Amino acid sequence: MRFINPKTDFAFKKIFGSEQSHDILISFLNAMLYDGNDTITAIEILNPYLAPRIRGIKDTYLDVKATINNTTNVIIEMQVLNVEGFEKRILYNAAKTYSNQLEVGEDYTDLEPVIALTITDFPMFPELNQLISRFILKEKTYLTDYPIYDIELVFIELPNFRKQLEELETLTDKWLYFLKTAKKLEIVPPVMGSVPAIQKAFEIANQANLTREELDDLEHHEIFIYDQRNAIKKAVKQGLQQGLEQGLQQGLEQGLEQGLEQGELKAKLAIAKQLLAVLDDEAIIQATGLSLEQITALRNK
């Protein structure tokens, strides 16, 4: 058997966000949020589209959105590329999901908690070096919890999950192994197939059960991710090489210190030039440290 990559946008939504996925999503969320305990007993998968209530605020599409036990809203995102502004987007989506619960005239006491669960295929918080991180509102000095425990951000960093098949013990282990390695597997390992929800997830992920249109969509998603990663790598590599060559040449002519300073600037400009077709101005500024005026000048050229 060949399985689709559950980390791609299309596959993740199909496996965890379709109408046939209720038991899969319950098992997955119990594993990710509640240490494998049967805390979630009922779930409703919702439309992932978040319509804005305020004119001028943009629309948002989540990967999966659900209500668990009729009380808590969960929004789930699988993120493969580490793009600029990603951290703010997570907070924005959580706040938007929280505020969108109320209609005109409804009381604030009607608001239900929101959990934003984000799985990343890259290190999100390298300084923490842990698999699962949870963030809530706390008082800055004494770190006491805010009285209303209504918004929680949960991050799972797949690169920090390093267990092999023979080391899988918990339900959390098995689901993370599924996310990370399903595409490379040719059979369903018995230790994972013994969990009915994971067995069903493998069945949905089986390429033999997909239509030609679905396989085409999946291929387009994977090509896009591959192209974006390579575009960034190429831009950085070419920018560094071009900048260093020019900097060294000027260093020989004008002195080492001045040459290194100019070389660093040219390296940044070269990197920015390569990223013009890939990222917006704000993202390029964050990546290179250049000013908006310098980026605008490059675009005008």
Side-chain angles (χ1 to χ4, degrees):
M1 290 183 288
R2 296 184 62 188
F3 303 104
I4 59 178
N5 183 1
K7 291 186 288 187
T8 61
D9 182 67
F10 167 82
F12 189 87
K13 291 178 180 179
K14 183 171 182 63
I15 295 169
F16 296 102
S18 60
E19 277 305 311
Q20 60 182 326
S21 304
H22 286 70
D23 51 344
I24 294 175
L25 191 56
I26 287 176
S27 175
F28 179 74
L29 291 177
N30 275 330
M32 299 300 107
L33 300 176
Y34 302 110
D35 296 324
N37 297 314
D38 295 329
T39 303
I40 302 172
T41 57
I43 198 165
E44 178 186 3
I45 297 177
L46 306 173
N47 186 344
Y49 171 63
L50 291 179
R53 298 286 178 83
I54 302 174
R55 189 174 182 179
I57 300 296
K58 64 181 180 180
D59 299 347
T60 303
Y61 276 95
L62 306 166
D63 286 341
V64 179
K65 181 182 179 184
T67 299
I68 58 177
N69 295 341
N70 298 317
T71 58
T72 302
N73 294 286
V74 177
I75 56 177
I76 310 163
E77 290 197 62
M78 175 72 231
Q79 187 69 19
V80 175
L81 296 172
N82 188 5
V83 296
E84 189 66 32
F86 174 56
E87 300 90 340
K88 289 191 175 183
R89 191 182 83 199
I90 294 168
L91 188 59
Y92 169 79
N93 286 339
K96 191 174 183 180
T97 301
Y98 189 67
S99 63
N100 275 4
Q101 296 178 65
L102 291 185
E103 300 292 345
V104 176
E106 292 183 331
D107 195 272
Y108 292 118
T109 57
D110 295 330
L111 289 168
E112 301 287 359
V114 171
I115 299 175
L117 172 62
T118 305
I119 303 103
T120 66
D121 200 28
F122 52 85
M124 187 76 181
F125 307 104
E127 68 279 7
L128 298 180
N129 192 30
Q130 60 186 24
L131 177 61
I132 301 177
S133 304
R134 296 173 180 267
F135 294 86
I136 58 174
L137 291 175
K138 285 182 175 289
E139 197 281 328
K140 189 172 183 179
T141 303
Y142 298 100
L143 300 180
T144 55
D145 293 346
Y146 190 71
I148 304 299
Y149 190 78
D150 267 10
I151 296 182
E152 181 179 7
L153 308 180
V154 182
F155 296 90
I156 299 174
E157 302 172 61
L158 286 181
N160 291 338
F161 180 75
R162 303 180 181 90
K163 288 189 177 182
Q164 301 302 312
L165 182 61
E166 62 276 8
E167 299 175 296
L168 304 183
E169 298 177 352
T170 67
L171 183 64
T172 305
D173 291 344
K174 295 170 185 177
W175 271 119
L176 291 176
Y177 191 83
F178 170 81
L179 285 178
K180 198 167 183 179
T181 66
K183 185 181 179 181
K184 302 176 183 178
L185 300 176
E186 296 181 353
I187 62 170
V188 180
V191 68
M192 301 178 70
S194 62
V195 180
I198 297 181
Q199 175 66 38
K200 186 175 179 180
F202 271 111
E203 292 171 3
I204 296 176
N206 189 347
Q207 288 192 17
N209 295 328
L210 271 62
T211 65
R212 169 45 53 189
E213 291 76 15
E214 288 176 324
L215 289 173
D216 287 343
D217 285 344
L218 177 64
E219 183 180 7
H220 291 153
H221 279 284
E222 290 186 324
I223 290 174
F224 172 78
I225 292 172
Y226 180 81
D227 288 346
Q228 292 298 306
R229 280 176 168 168
N230 282 345
I232 294 173
K233 288 180 181 178
K234 183 178 180 180
V236 172
K237 183 178 180 181
Q238 290 182 346
L240 287 173
Q241 182 177 356
Q242 180 181 349
L244 287 173
E245 288 176 355
Q246 293 178 355
L248 288 173
Q249 179 63 33
Q250 291 186 359
L252 292 173
E253 296 173 356
Q254 302 175 14
L256 181 59
E257 183 175 352
Q258 182 181 359
L260 288 175
E261 291 176 354
Q262 293 183 355
E264 182 180 359
L265 175 60
K266 288 185 176 294
K268 291 179 179 180
L269 291 171
I271 292 173
K273 186 176 180 181
Q274 296 295 325
L275 294 175
L276 290 177
V278 181
L279 303 175
D280 59 24
D281 290 354
E282 185 62 28
I284 298 175
I285 291 171
Q286 293 293 328
T288 63
L290 295 175
S291 67
L292 178 59
E293 290 75 15
Q294 290 170 313
I295 302 301
T296 302
L298 284 177
R299 288 198 185 278
N300 290 338
K301 292 181 181 180

